[in-house]
Amino acid sequence: MDPEASVLLHCAPCRGLRQSQVRVELSPRYNRCKEPELESRIASLWTDRVSQQPWLFNGAKFRLHSATLRMHRERGREGGGEGERRRGGEGQIDEGKKVEEVFKGWVEGGAGEGVSESMRQGEGEREGRREGHREREQDREGGGETEEDEKEGAVLTLCLGLTCYRDFLGTNWSEGARGLRARGQAQYGDPLALLAQPLGVGGVVITGDGGVVFLRRSQRVGEAAGLIDIPGGHPEPTVVVPGVGEDSVTLEQLSEEGVLKELFSSILNEIRDEVNIPLQYLSEPLLLGIALNHTSAGRPSAEFFIRCTLSSEKVKELYWQGGPEAHESTNIIIINREEVLQLDESSPLWPELCPSAKGAVLLYRLVQPDKEG
């Protein structure tokens, strides 16, 4: 396992999720825990950083607390008879009844360690299923989940709070990140409690002739300078509430529907701005899952799959014409899809990939939304 990246949660059973299959839950419970001593240190680190890089600004970001994927599957035997027994041997399922499997994503342990198969093993599989049935019944009583949701086969819920770039530099990206994880576990029972955990986005873009778009990062960017990445960035809270300053955004001002729309549209905008591909040539994004960057204490990123109707040569031509964020990269690299599916730690290209690109490749290999058959 690569120590720089891992998969927190993947959508392989459903070959990726559309926007209609994702829910956002906003709450101050999902914000970072604050302590006076830590806040003072974050402010000091930010002042020092801005003095060295005066072009930096403190943008608001969404903080990922956790993610829950609920799978609805038809089970039972055709033609009647005894229903299929649940894995674990508890109870029986009647023919044709829908069963909900619940997979939750948290970060467990240190670098390179994620939740195996997106399941928090400590809670136990059977308890996870019981919880899923309870929550499903509550949703029905409250009018939350619809029959259409069940037909779609899967629903992912992202629990989000608010954070900012300054807090990211002072926690996840600081030299004391490991100590903050230990303190969070000891004081709050949560190793992420004191970390910013801003949610990023990345896009696996497939050209019309089967190429995957990568970019060589500039030497002037703050992270992974000179390494190979995929197009990406962050969904922006200020886009959801236009006219509100970066330091003034509150959860009360945000709508969950607006945040969800920004999550899916932000990756398309990043591709447009970084690669210079007009939006009309890009498909609806499919969410592959969530990857973790362990060089920044397990920072999460939602990785998407996007089809581009243009050829590789046309995409290169547009890139060299320059887009609004052309300064973030110095070159475009397009690799055949089959070669990308073979990328792993033994590949010569792997050490040149930044952690976010490694996480996206891992998810693309797992989910393969464009696999035939």
Side-chain angles (χ1 to χ4, degrees):
M1 177 182 291
D2 191 294
E4 293 187 342
S6 67
V7 171
L8 174 68
L9 183 147
H10 68 78
C11 306
C14 38
R15 296 279 188 89
L17 297 177
R18 302 184 301 278
Q19 181 175 322
S20 62
Q21 295 172 275
V22 181
R23 306 286 180 267
V24 164
E25 182 180 317
L26 302 175
S27 172
R29 300 193 311 274
Y30 306 140
N31 288 344
R32 179 178 66 84
C33 294
K34 296 187 176 183
E35 299 178 347
E37 179 185 349
L38 176 58
E39 305 318 301
S40 177
R41 177 165 175 73
I42 290 173
S44 176
L45 289 171
W46 176 251
T47 299
D48 292 343
R49 185 69 177 268
V50 172
S51 68
Q52 299 170 25
Q53 299 173 295
W55 57 85
L56 293 178
F57 69 96
N58 184 28
K61 307 296 176 190
F62 295 108
R63 180 181 190 267
L64 180 67
H65 173 271
S66 56
T68 305
L69 177 62
R70 294 182 174 85
M71 297 294 301
H72 305 284
R73 294 179 178 173
E74 290 280 2
R75 290 193 177 176
R77 301 170 190 246
E78 294 182 3
E82 188 176 296
E84 178 183 349
R85 189 173 297 274
R86 291 188 199 179
R87 188 169 53 181
E90 182 187 5
Q92 291 183 342
I93 299 169
D94 295 333
E95 180 183 0
K97 181 175 286 188
K98 289 187 180 295
V99 179
E100 184 172 70
E101 297 185 21
V102 179
F103 302 92
K104 292 191 175 181
W106 290 268
V107 180
E108 299 286 348
E113 296 176 8
V115 180
S116 175
E117 289 300 315
S118 309
M119 172 68 76
R120 191 179 187 183
Q121 299 291 347
E123 293 192 348
E125 181 181 25
R126 285 181 292 179
E127 179 56 33
R129 292 195 183 194
R130 291 194 195 101
E131 179 183 344
H133 286 298
R134 288 196 296 268
E135 292 185 1
R136 186 179 177 192
E137 291 303 317
Q138 291 170 0
D139 285 343
R140 282 179 170 174
E141 294 172 3
E145 194 170 299
T146 66
E147 184 178 347
E148 187 60 32
D149 292 328
E150 292 186 358
K151 289 178 181 178
E152 290 184 315
V155 176
L156 174 68
T157 301
L158 301 175
C159 296
L160 302 177
L162 278 177
T163 188
C164 62
Y165 185 61
R166 183 195 67 172
D167 286 8
F168 164 69
L169 290 181
T171 59
N172 289 70
W173 197 241
S174 73
E175 294 180 356
R178 186 177 294 273
L180 290 176
R181 287 180 61 92
R183 212 160 93 205
Q185 180 63 51
Q187 295 180 203
Y188 302 97
D190 176 7
L192 308 179
L194 298 170
L195 300 180
Q197 292 297 94
L199 178 64
V201 293
V204 177
V205 181
I206 306 292
T207 64
D209 52 355
V212 182
V213 177
F214 292 88
L215 302 174
R216 176 76 69 177
R217 291 173 64 82
S218 166
Q219 292 291 343
R220 287 184 57 102
V221 295
E223 296 178 59
L227 295 180
I228 297 173
D229 201 0
I230 58 170
H234 296 84
E236 305 292 347
T238 53
V239 172
V240 185
V241 281
V244 177
E246 298 280 358
D247 296 330
S248 304
V249 179
T250 65
L251 286 171
E252 291 73 24
Q253 296 168 321
L254 299 167
S255 70
E256 292 174 344
E257 295 79 9
V259 172
L260 176 61
K261 181 180 178 182
E262 165 61 7
L263 177 64
F264 274 75
S265 62
S266 63
I267 185 54
L268 296 178
N269 294 334
E270 293 288 351
I271 296 166
R272 177 198 61 197
D273 294 344
E274 293 183 10
V275 193
N276 201 31
I277 301 175
L279 296 179
Q280 64 262 36
Y281 299 112
L282 300 174
S283 72
E284 173 190 3
L286 280 178
L287 181 62
L288 301 175
I290 299 171
L292 302 175
N293 180 344
H294 295 291
T295 66
S296 51
R299 179 182 49 172
S301 181
E303 307 296 349
F304 294 87
F305 171 81
I306 301 99
R307 290 185 182 275
C308 173
T309 57
L310 301 174
S311 68
S312 297
E313 286 305 312
K314 184 60 180 178
V315 169
K316 289 180 180 179
E317 179 184 327
L318 289 170
Y319 171 81
W320 289 114
Q321 290 174 11
E325 296 182 3
H327 62 281
E328 294 186 1
S329 64
T330 60
N331 195 11
I332 184 169
I333 303 164
I334 298 183
I335 304 173
N336 183 272
R337 172 189 180 275
E338 297 306 319
E339 292 182 44
V340 173
L341 289 173
Q342 298 300 317
L343 282 177
D344 59 23
E345 293 178 68
S346 65
S347 306
L349 185 65
W350 192 260
E352 289 198 70
L353 298 179
C354 65
S356 56
K358 291 177 179 179
V361 168
L362 291 173
L363 279 166
Y364 180 53
R365 282 169 36 197
L366 274 169
V367 181
Q368 294 191 47
D370 51 348
K371 183 179 180 180
E372 295 182 3

